[in-house]
Amino acid sequence: MKKVLITGALGQIGSELTMRLRKEYGENNVIASGLSKDNGSEEVLQSGPFEIVDITKEHQIADAVKKHNVDTIINLAAILSAVGEAKPGLAWNVNMNGLYNVLEVARELNSAVFTPSSIAAFGPSTPAKDTPQDTIQRPTTMYGVTKVAGELLCDYYFEKYGVDTRGVRFPGLISYKTLPGGGTTDYAVEIYYKAIQEGKFTCPLDKSTYMDMMYMPDALDAIINLAEADPSKLKHRNAFNVTAMSFNPEDIFASIKKFMPEFNMNYDINPTLQKIANSWPDSLDDSAAREEWGWNPKYDLDSMSKDMLEKLKIKLSK
Ligand code: NAD
Ligand code: AKB
């Protein structure tokens, strides 16, 4: 990666990945892009180039790639699971037609493409525990349908056209800089905000709901390490299971309580979110990522809670 275009760069991952890549690769070598600048992170908008790119408009992607001599597109523009269930047509258009446009531009202009998939690419018939790298994928959400189809489309562009496509199946990501964009795992971010702001949290998922999760610094490492990995060692390319921890609401509540003993939690189950969460794995087997490109996350639940609470307290006191 020498010149990178990030689509959806003002979202939860993009706002942090842009700053991390600008630090490592140079400010002008990382072009952030999004639908508009509105409500975007000031540090992203001020620290380097920004272009308006709607990925459903192929010419906007191509113009940005040509203008900046981009060699790698990191495609983070997407509609996530909860919003995708409310607006399935939008999720299809952005996640499928948008990805197709990104891949076409990459094919025509010789760039590499990194696109995250998700634990949502699995479904109720997938083995829920130690979910294997290669297994049944019959998701029951529009988001999941677009994610599994996106994995296949990226494989297709590698096999047929030689486009250097790569990606991971991210679990729920937890971070303090930018709020998540409307997913099922968002509760595991909101709980930290509520712990600090109100001392109590109403959890929308049942206490027995296990899902894989990861702290943002590990997610950024995953993107960079796979994007820079020796291609001759990669057998899977576009859909590596990666995880750092698996917990349920009671586990994250107990972890926060270690640092904030007065914290309280009750439950008010959201049936739509619960149905989505029930269809996803409890815990992933990420041994392929460990073997093929050295995946090795640093944060567990308690070290993440400690850092989240410290950083979020500073942010919310400003
Ligand atoms: P996000 O919702 O925070 O950000 C997505 C960004 O895409 C937003 O800024 C949105 O405005 C933008 N966008 C929407 N439509 C667009 C379009 N047509 N053109 C350009 N931009 C558009 O999402 P995120 O959490 O940063 O996720 C990035 C990627 O990682 C997605 O592919 C997502 O599926 C995947 N992922 C995220 C998580 C997570 O927990 N955050 C977990 C698994 C996978
Ligand atoms: C969501 O909940 O939709 C995302 C994801 C796991 O893909 N956080």
Side-chain angles (χ1 to χ4, degrees):
M1 286 197 292
K2 291 195 172 65
K3 274 258 175 172
V4 182
L5 171 69
I6 304 180
T7 69
L10 298 175
Q12 188 191 6
I13 302 178
S15 57
E16 297 206 38
L17 182 67
T18 302
M19 299 312 294
R20 169 85 183 268
L21 291 181
R22 282 184 176 158
K23 211 164 147 196
E24 290 187 22
Y25 294 79
E27 289 175 348
N28 289 322
N29 294 326
V30 182
I31 294 86
S33 73
L35 286 175
S36 82
K37 289 186 173 180
D38 295 349
N39 306 317
S41 147
E42 277 307 312
E43 61 173 358
V44 169
L45 296 172
Q46 302 301 332
S47 62
F50 182 88
E51 300 287 346
I52 300 291
V53 175
D54 176 343
I55 63 163
T56 65
K57 300 191 169 109
E58 188 181 331
H59 67 95
Q60 292 188 357
I61 310 166
D63 288 349
V65 169
K66 282 186 218 154
K67 179 176 168 187
H68 296 278
N69 273 322
V70 164
D71 63 44
T72 305
I73 305 171
I74 300 185
N75 179 39
L76 302 180
I79 303 299
L80 277 73
S81 60
V83 177
E85 284 312 278
K87 299 176 182 172
L90 177 68
W92 179 268
N93 193 27
V94 176
N95 300 3
M96 288 316 312
N97 295 331
L99 174 61
Y100 177 79
N101 292 337
V102 167
L103 290 165
E104 273 296 288
V105 170
R107 178 177 72 80
E108 282 162 12
L109 300 175
N110 288 320
S111 42
V113 176
F114 189 101
T115 305
S117 183
S118 161
I119 50 171
F122 298 114
S125 52
T126 302
K129 294 197 181 8
D130 284 329
T131 302
Q133 173 65 44
D134 301 304
T135 186
I136 300 165
Q137 290 184 264
R138 306 286 296 173
T140 48
T141 62
M142 178 55 94
Y143 177 63
V145 168
T146 66
K147 284 297 171 190
V148 72
E151 293 177 359
L152 295 172
L153 195 59
C154 289
D155 282 350
Y156 182 83
Y157 268 73
F158 171 67
E159 294 295 339
K160 186 161 175 93
Y161 303 116
V163 176
D164 183 351
T165 54
R166 304 183 189 195
V168 292
R169 292 181 183 131
F170 273 133
L173 300 182
I174 294 163
S175 65
Y176 59 87
K177 285 208 169 164
T178 302
L179 284 168
T184 306
T185 58
D186 294 11
Y187 93 90
V189 177
E190 198 191 349
I191 191 171
Y192 290 100
Y193 280 80
K194 293 286 183 191
I196 294 168
Q197 290 171 320
E198 297 176 21
K200 58 181 191 310
F201 176 62
T202 301
C203 185
L205 296 177
D206 181 81
K207 60 179 156 196
S208 62
T209 314
Y210 278 95
M211 286 188 285
D212 285 282
M213 300 278 177
M214 186 185 295
Y215 197 32
M216 188 59 82
D218 282 327
L220 303 184
D221 282 348
I223 293 174
I224 295 169
N225 292 346
L226 176 54
E228 296 288 14
D230 175 353
S232 69
K233 302 223 162 86
L234 301 181
K235 294 187 203 120
H236 290 88
R237 283 201 158 259
N238 289 303
F240 283 98
N241 285 0
V242 285
T243 185
M245 58 195 98
S246 163
F247 59 74
N248 66 25
E250 290 289 302
D251 297 328
I252 188 170
F253 172 63
S255 177
I256 295 173
K257 254 179 114 63
K258 287 182 191 165
F259 306 96
M260 301 183 70
E262 305 301 311
F263 181 44
N264 283 306
M265 183 167 82
N266 60 9
Y267 290 90
D268 182 12
I269 308 305
N270 175 320
T272 306
L273 295 181
Q274 189 65 55
K275 190 169 170 220
I276 299 173
N278 288 349
S279 77
W280 291 355
D282 293 351
S283 60
L284 297 184
D285 170 358
D286 61 3
S287 50
R290 289 173 187 270
E291 281 158 24
E292 292 178 39
W293 50 276
W295 165 241
N296 188 16
K298 297 185 184 75
Y299 285 89
D300 64 12
L301 178 53
D302 283 344
S303 54
M304 174 177 78
S305 290
K306 182 172 183 295
D307 199 62
M308 265 301 276
L309 291 168
E310 281 170 10
K311 302 274 172 46
L312 206 49
K313 274 181 193 157
I314 296 168
K315 175 181 162 179
L316 296 175
S317 68
K318 284 180 186 159

